[in-house]
Amino acid sequence: MMLVLPLQSAYADALTQAKRMHDRIAGIPASQSTLNEMAALIEQGNAKQAAYIAMASPSFYNVTLKNWITPWTNEEADVFAPLNDYTATVIGIVRDDIDFREILTGDIIYTASGISGIPAYSTNNNAHYESLENNGVDLSSALTRSTQSAVTGIPSDASAGVMTTRAAAKSFFKDGTNRAMLRFTLMNHLCTDLEPLKDTSLPPDRIRQDLSRSPGGDSRIFANSCTGCHNGMDPLAQAFAYYEYDYNVDADPEGENGRLLYNAEGQLDPETNSRVTAKHLINSNNFPFGYVIGDDRWDNYWREGINQTLGWSDALTGSGYGAKSMGEELANSEKFASCQVSKVFENVCLRRPQDANDRSAIANITSNFVASGYLIKEAFADTATYCAGE
């Protein structure tokens, strides 16, 4: 009896861990046969494979990933926002084990086709994805990979993963000066807002005309505050100089029926007489001697100063043209990799890291994530294994 009881206890503990793992990954209870299979793997010391069994559930894609990704697609971080091409594309990248860096670089989009009653993808509205969601279509099987250049017509060299999806354009290119796209990309994919990146030691030579150098009549505010964010943000956000979200502001003020526009070679904005969209030259009288955007050249000033700690890749030069190469700069930083793992950790462990053990685990999981070729399911499996005993 003394030999049997520990075995029974160990198996009971393995079942508990299997249930916890499945509940957190798939978001729904598992069948008893699935739990038994997972528990057996956990007993054998192969909890990671048990996590992959949980990720095979359609609910992992339809519920867990949909809720994980959706807040990234809108300024309000609303988890209840409708399914859209941004969310669907990230789900597809996860499902198909695609290098996760492509969320900021790829000529890639996921749509569904051949499903009765589902309207085709449109560059002018979100009806395709809302219909998929409203009809309970299984995203784990329905989504099909394609290219933005084929589906939306944006040139392949102008595609930049989710940044050039319609949903991202509606949220972050609508109105404004396109700086929002950079800010929310940093928040969602490097886990930092602009304030922590503030560095007044960098040169302010690329700060645009629309930013007053004496806000409220006090030039010290610009020198000691505004410049600290804009000196790094403006040179990077210039990558979006040729993009616009086009909609009827009077008839459709929320832009529900708008579309992403891109000025390709030979296409000139009627107001600027260049490829640069008019929004980039607004409020020029605020400081006429400020920087005037003439193209989509970007430079990463944060490679110098305190923000070197984001871990920029030595294999890249830190400058280029357009959103795709700028997305490559962000996606190859150490901060991008650690950010994805931190978000997975909070999603699976249902808490933030609390101590040295958690921080060490995140570092190890991040190393495995990078070594795997940036396969995000590896991060989910490793994290679920770490938290299974809680």
Side-chain angles (χ1 to χ4, degrees), residues 9-308:
S9 176
Y11 186 70
D13 184 58
L15 277 174
T16 299
Q17 291 185 37
K19 182 181 186 306
R20 181 181 298 113
M21 183 181 286
H22 195 281
D23 287 350
R24 292 181 176 183
I25 289 177
I28 59 171
S31 67
Q32 190 60 52
S33 60
T34 297
L35 285 180
N36 290 340
E37 184 181 5
M38 291 175 63
L41 287 167
I42 291 170
E43 273 197 301
Q44 296 162 16
N46 197 356
K48 189 169 181 177
Q49 188 58 42
Y52 269 92
I53 291 175
M55 282 188 281
S57 169
S59 185
F60 173 61
Y61 302 94
N62 296 313
V63 179
T64 302
L65 288 182
K66 197 270 181 184
N67 291 341
W68 185 55
I69 299 160
T70 298
W72 313 344
T73 71
N74 60 89
E75 291 193 3
E76 297 77 19
D78 181 8
V79 69
F80 299 110
L83 181 70
N84 53 57
D85 54 355
Y86 185 139
T87 301
T89 296
V90 179
I91 290 173
I93 286 172
V94 176
R95 185 197 66 186
D96 293 347
D97 285 325
I98 295 171
D99 186 327
F100 206 66
R101 290 173 294 182
E102 288 210 31
I103 66 171
L104 298 184
T105 65
D107 182 7
I108 187 169
I109 190 170
Y110 278 79
T111 62
S113 60
I115 302 175
S116 178
I118 305 298
Y121 178 90
S122 172
T123 57
N124 295 297
N125 59 61
N126 194 44
H128 175 71
Y129 296 98
E130 292 186 32
S131 185
L132 289 174
E133 184 171 31
N134 293 339
N135 285 277
V137 174
D138 180 8
L139 302 178
S140 70
S141 58
L143 293 177
T144 302
R145 179 180 180 178
S146 188
T147 61
Q148 293 181 22
S149 51
V151 174
T152 71
I154 190 171
S156 182
D157 61 0
S159 63
V162 296
M163 292 190 290
T164 48
T165 57
R166 181 186 178 276
K170 178 179 179 294
S171 291
F172 311 128
F173 283 153
K174 180 176 175 285
D175 306 327
T177 57
N178 286 359
R179 291 181 177 105
M181 182 65 78
L182 178 66
R183 181 194 174 206
F184 282 91
T185 298
L186 292 172
M187 291 170 63
N188 293 324
H189 303 301
L190 271 73
C191 294
T192 182
D193 205 342
L194 290 165
E195 190 68 24
L197 303 177
K198 185 181 289 185
D199 181 2
T200 56
S201 71
L202 301 175
D205 60 311
R206 294 280 285 279
I207 299 179
R208 304 178 201 171
Q209 295 174 309
D210 63 332
L211 190 68
S212 172
R213 269 50 172 186
S214 298
D218 189 346
S219 61
R220 293 172 300 177
I221 296 175
F222 171 80
N224 297 316
S225 182
C226 304
T227 185
C229 291
H230 282 270
N231 57 16
M233 172 173 59
D234 282 14
L236 282 171
Q238 191 171 332
F240 305 125
Y242 301 158
Y243 298 88
E244 174 65 284
Y245 184 72
D246 181 55
Y247 71 103
N248 188 321
V249 66
D250 296 319
D252 180 24
E254 298 302 318
E256 297 298 334
N257 297 303
R259 62 187 180 122
L260 172 66
L261 294 183
Y262 174 78
N263 288 336
E265 189 72 38
Q267 293 178 307
L268 304 182
D269 186 286
E271 294 187 42
T272 67
N273 199 35
S274 73
R275 293 176 66 185
V276 177
T277 55
K279 61 167 54 181
H280 289 88
L281 303 181
I282 63 172
N283 300 322
S284 59
N285 288 332
N286 285 347
F287 189 72
F289 303 105
Y291 185 75
V292 180
I293 292 179
D295 57 22
D296 63 349
R297 162 121 187 170
W298 61 269
D299 292 276
N300 185 4
Y301 283 21
W302 288 330
R303 280 180 171 258
E304 304 294 332
I306 60 175
N307 294 316
Q308 295 179 65

Side-chain angles (χ1 to χ4, degrees), residues 8 94 104 329 337 359 381:
Q8 289 176 336
V94 176
L104 298 184
E329 174 82 346
R359 290 188 288 274

